[in-house]
Amino acid sequence: MTDDQITAFMAVPKRLVVRFLERDGWRRLPGERSETVWTVQGDGGRDGLCMVCDGAREGFDVGMDGGDLYCPQHEDPVAALVYPARDRRGAEAAVYALCSEAQMKPEELLNALSLEYRDEAHLYFGWPLFGFPVQAEVYEHALHDLFEILRLCYDCAGAEQGDDALTYSDVIFTAPDHVTLSFGRPHGDETGEAADRVRNLSRRAAERLRGTLNLLHSSQRDRSVVRQYATGELVLEEVLEPEDYRLAAGPDRASWDALDTFRHQAAVFARWRFDWGWDVA
C-alpha cells in the first residue's frame, strides 16, 4: 500500500465510503460512542451442521431448551475497522481491513469507490485462461465466449433490438486468471432517456449475471434441508440438484448454458466480485 493510495482513500467523500461499507455487509456498532466502529460477519459458510444455527433455532431437540440462541462461532464479527479514521495510520488500517475482507488490492478498492456510469463483474478463475506467449486463436476464443456471456446477460435484462448497451460495455483481461466484465452507459455528458435506459439495462444485466453465477455454484447446503434421526443426530438431506435451477428455455437458460460451458471448457470460476457504480442507487 502506497502513501498515494492512502491519500486517495482519505479524499473519497465520506458518503461513498459509508455506502460501500453498507453494501459490503459492514455494520456500525450500536451506541453513540461507537458510531465510528464497523464490524462484519462471515459469509455464513460452514462445512458441518451447527447445533445452534441448524438445530435449536429450527426447533430440533438438541438439549438447548430456552436460553440465548446466539452462536459465537458463526455470528461473532470476523473483522472490524474504524471509519472515519482520525489520521493516516487509521486510514491505512481501514484500507487494509477492507481489502483483506473483500480480497481486493488497494487500487481495486479505490476503483470501486470511484466507479460511475458502469458496473463491473470481476471473475477470478481456478487457473490462467492462457499463458505467455499466447496463441491468437486461444485469446480470441476466450474473448468471443466472454462477449457472448455479456450479450446474453443483456438479453436476460430485457435488451431489445436497437439498444446499444453493448457499445458501452467491455471485456477486460485484467490478469491471466482475472477478467473484468464492464456493464456501462454513455458518459455523464450524454444524458437523456436513451442514456438512462442503457444504464438501467446495464445494472439489470450485471445483477442477472451475479444471480446466475450464484445458482450455478449453489452449495449442497443451499440445496438441502436439515433432518434429525431418532438418535438425535442432525443430517443434511439434499432435495434439489444443481440442474434444478436451470430454466427450461429463454435467455436465462442460454446464459446458464454459456457460463456452464465456459467453466468446463476454459476455466472454472474460483470466485467473483461485483463493484457497483454510484450513479445508480
Side-chain angles (χ1 to χ4, degrees), residues 27-50:
R27 296 293 179 264
R28 285 189 178 98
L29 286 181
E32 295 182 0
R33 293 188 175 182
S34 57
E35 63 180 5
T36 62
V37 179
W38 298 74
T39 63
V40 66
Q41 293 181 331
D43 59 10
R46 53 186 185 269
D47 296 329
L49 289 169
C50 173

Side-chain angles (χ1 to χ4, degrees), residues 63-93:
M64 299 180 62
D65 294 336
D68 185 10
L69 295 184
Y70 180 81
C71 178
Q73 181 179 357
H74 299 122
E75 294 181 315
D76 276 355
V78 296
L81 60 83
V82 174
Y83 184 83
R86 297 187 180 89
D87 51 30
R88 291 184 66 86
R89 290 184 63 184
E92 181 178 6

Side-chain angles (χ1 to χ4, degrees), residues 40-255:
V40 66
Q41 293 181 331
D43 59 10
R46 53 186 185 269
D47 296 329
L49 289 169
C50 173
M51 285 303 203
V52 177
C53 302
D54 301 305
R57 287 187 189 157
E58 298 300 323
F60 294 108
D61 182 9
V62 291
M64 299 180 62
D65 294 336
D68 185 10
L69 295 184
Y70 180 81
C71 178
Q73 181 179 357
H74 299 122
E75 294 181 315
D76 276 355
V78 296
L81 60 83
V82 174
Y83 184 83
R86 297 187 180 89
D87 51 30
R88 291 184 66 86
R89 290 184 63 184
E92 181 178 6
V95 171
Y96 179 83
L98 286 169
C99 291
S100 177
E101 177 61 25
Q103 300 182 60
M104 303 172 73
K105 299 175 182 177
E107 57 268 26
E108 292 176 322
L109 173 63
L110 292 172
N111 175 70
L113 289 171
S114 61
L115 204 58
E116 276 193 299
Y117 308 122
R118 70 186 188 280
D119 303 312
E120 292 181 348
H122 294 266
L123 309 179
Y124 298 85
F125 303 106
W127 53 79
L129 287 174
F130 45 78
F132 291 98
V134 57
Q135 293 181 339
E137 181 181 1
V138 175
Y139 178 87
E140 290 173 357
H141 185 71
L143 189 63
H144 172 273
D145 289 347
L146 289 165
F147 262 112
E148 179 64 9
I149 289 171
L150 196 62
R151 183 189 67 79
L152 288 169
C153 290
Y154 277 99
D155 286 349
C156 293
E160 300 173 357
Q161 194 71 26
D163 284 327
D164 57 353
L166 278 173
T167 303
Y168 303 99
S169 303
D170 204 359
V171 174
I172 303 166
F173 288 94
T174 312
D177 61 348
H178 175 194
V179 165
T180 303
L181 301 187
S182 176
F183 298 81
R185 66 151 280 172
H187 296 295
D189 57 354
E190 299 181 48
T191 60
E193 184 177 341
D196 290 341
R197 173 172 169 75
V198 169
R199 183 64 184 101
N200 290 330
L201 271 174
S202 294
R203 171 56 60 89
R204 293 201 301 271
E207 290 173 341
R208 297 302 281 268
L209 174 60
R210 181 180 62 173
T212 303
L213 282 169
N214 289 339
L215 290 176
L216 194 64
H217 296 81
S218 61
S219 67
Q220 182 187 11
R221 178 178 290 276
D222 295 329
R223 304 188 304 272
S224 303
V225 296
V226 179
R227 305 290 190 196
Q228 187 174 34
Y229 289 153
T231 59
E233 179 187 2
L234 298 179
V235 295
L236 278 177
E237 181 179 312
E238 194 164 354
V239 295
L240 290 173
E241 296 289 340
E243 290 297 311
D244 290 333
Y245 295 114
R246 181 171 176 252
L247 297 183
D252 287 286
R253 161 73 173 268
S255 175

